[in-house]
Amino acid sequence: MNNILKMATIATFTLTALSAHAKAAEPAVIYDTAGKFDKSFNEAVFRGGVEEYKKVKHITVKEFEPQNEAQREQGLRRLASRGFSPIVAVGFNFSSSVEKVATEFPKVQFTIIDSVVNKPNVQSVVFKENEGSFLVGALAAQASKTGKVGFVGGMDIPLIRKFECGYEQGVKYVNPKAEVFQNMTGSTPAAFADPAKGSELAKTQFSKGADVIYAAAGGTGLGVYQAAKDAGKLAIGVDSNQNHLHPGTMLTSMVKSVGLASFQSWDEAAQGKWKPGVKVLGLAEGGVDWALDENNAKLITPEMKTKMDDIKKDIISGKIKVHDYMADNTCKY
């Protein structure tokens, strides 16, 4: 009887230990308020990260979608208190929340995308959006028939200025005489979820002669793309591959591998290789690129494709140096 009790006790302890280990390694993600089906940044994490992780690793990632700004911190704390780790926070809007909650839960691993939080249990993943934006700017200049192109940004912050500055450099690299119109949608996070305003800004730029507009504005970009379709002009998507939204209208998309970055963070933790600190992903690391698929193939001539390949190669080699707006808050180049 004693042996049976001992065996039962050992089995209980073993199951408890295994359960605790599994819980500690259970991944999670918290999206920004635009939600996981924003057809842009959050959805790129969902499609390329959450869904892919389940498909490849057969592990379900716990998801949380805050409905307002206050729920960002509440959601992070709830996930951390329940032992989920690593927790991927999608977007720079989580900066203060991650810093606060990571301090409260020092044993939980947090990964924040598009911002840097200097904590021993936080991994910060940032991208060289200036490089990817340079590429789509170069393509816009090649596709433009008027020599005038546009940019519509979301919230007016250095990160979005970084997109605009890279785009402008790419345009001017191909056509130094080109004119680049640019507008920011607003000064609060709501600027990323205002398609009506995006449409209005795009129509204004089209009226000035622009025939290609790049939107780095989250859900606001949907209004830009629709305006481009209605006007028979071209648009450029951002973050995820948005070419499919309006085939024939979408010249390309500047894709950021936010889904891959999320996948890697969870996978690194599962293998015991997760590390805090800053990860910088550019063209050389496969972190950014321009999208070419069946939806925009007819818009890209062989000459355009060759030129894009050459420009990409020169950026990676360092022959072309793309200024980063966030390095000095200027777009001097």
Side-chain angles (χ1 to χ4, degrees), residues 122-156:
V122 177
Q123 182 181 92
S124 303
V125 183
V126 293
F127 297 81
K128 293 182 180 178
E129 293 93 352
N130 51 318
E131 293 184 348
S133 295
F134 187 104
L135 283 180
V136 299
L139 190 64
Q142 292 177 73
S144 177
K145 295 175 181 176
T146 64
K148 297 178 181 180
V149 300
F151 175 87
V152 173
M155 186 177 174
D156 191 356

Side-chain angles (χ1 to χ4, degrees), residues 17-54:
L18 287 171
S19 176
H21 176 74
K23 190 67 173 176
E26 195 168 354
V29 61
I30 179 166
Y31 302 101
D32 205 354
T33 51
K36 68 180 179 181
F37 295 119
D38 64 349
K39 295 184 172 65
S40 185
F41 193 75
N42 289 276
E43 191 161 344
V45 171
F46 173 64
R47 301 291 183 196
V50 174
E51 286 194 321
E52 194 67 14
Y53 199 70
K54 184 173 183 178

Side-chain angles (χ1 to χ4, degrees), residues 83-317:
F84 289 99
S85 184
I87 302 170
V88 171
V90 184
F92 65 88
N93 283 322
F94 278 98
S95 299
S96 59
S97 300
V98 167
E99 186 163 6
K100 188 172 182 179
V101 179
T103 303
E104 296 172 17
F105 296 88
K107 293 184 179 180
V108 173
Q109 297 165 334
F110 297 84
T111 295
I112 184 167
I113 295 175
D114 269 0
S115 186
V116 175
V117 174
N118 188 20
K119 288 287 179 181
N121 56 329
V122 177
Q123 182 181 92
S124 303
V125 183
V126 293
F127 297 81
K128 293 182 180 178
E129 293 93 352
N130 51 318
E131 293 184 348
S133 295
F134 187 104
L135 283 180
V136 299
L139 190 64
Q142 292 177 73
S144 177
K145 295 175 181 176
T146 64
K148 297 178 181 180
V149 300
F151 175 87
V152 173
M155 186 177 174
D156 191 356
I157 53 174
L159 176 62
I160 303 304
R161 292 281 174 183
K162 181 179 179 181
F163 282 84
E164 190 282 326
C165 184
Y167 177 68
E168 183 179 327
Q169 291 173 75
V171 171
K172 296 294 181 71
Y173 178 82
V174 169
N175 180 5
K177 296 181 180 180
E179 195 171 352
V180 182
F181 305 122
Q182 64 93 9
N183 293 102
M184 296 293 174
T185 306
S187 56
T188 69
F192 290 110
D194 193 348
K197 183 68 172 179
S199 176
E200 178 188 324
L201 293 173
K203 287 175 182 177
T204 298
Q205 293 185 5
F206 287 140
S207 71
K208 293 179 180 179
D211 55 358
V212 186
I213 296 180
Y214 174 33
T220 298
L222 299 178
V224 174
Y225 312 149
Q226 185 63 53
K229 182 182 180 183
D230 294 343
K233 308 295 185 182
L234 296 171
I236 297 173
V238 74
D239 294 332
S240 60
N241 184 350
Q242 298 182 311
N243 293 353
H244 66 281
L245 295 179
H246 298 291
T249 294
M250 304 303 292
L251 177 63
T252 187
S253 297
M254 197 289 279
V255 292
K256 288 169 62 174
S257 300
V258 290
L260 177 62
S262 303
F263 184 106
Q264 288 177 342
S265 182
W266 297 319
D267 194 37
E268 286 166 2
Q271 297 181 47
K273 297 178 180 178
W274 187 95
K275 292 179 181 178
V278 181
K279 270 188 180 182
V280 182
L281 305 178
L283 274 178
E285 297 80 18
V288 295
D289 210 337
W290 69 288
L292 177 61
D293 58 25
E294 68 277 6
N295 294 302
N296 68 332
K298 292 181 180 179
L299 299 173
I300 311 299
T301 66
E303 293 77 18
M304 291 165 76
K305 173 68 166 57
T306 298
K307 191 167 185 66
M308 293 299 287
D309 289 343
D310 290 341
I311 291 173
K312 182 175 176 180
K313 191 185 305 177
D314 287 345
I315 292 175
I316 291 173
S317 72

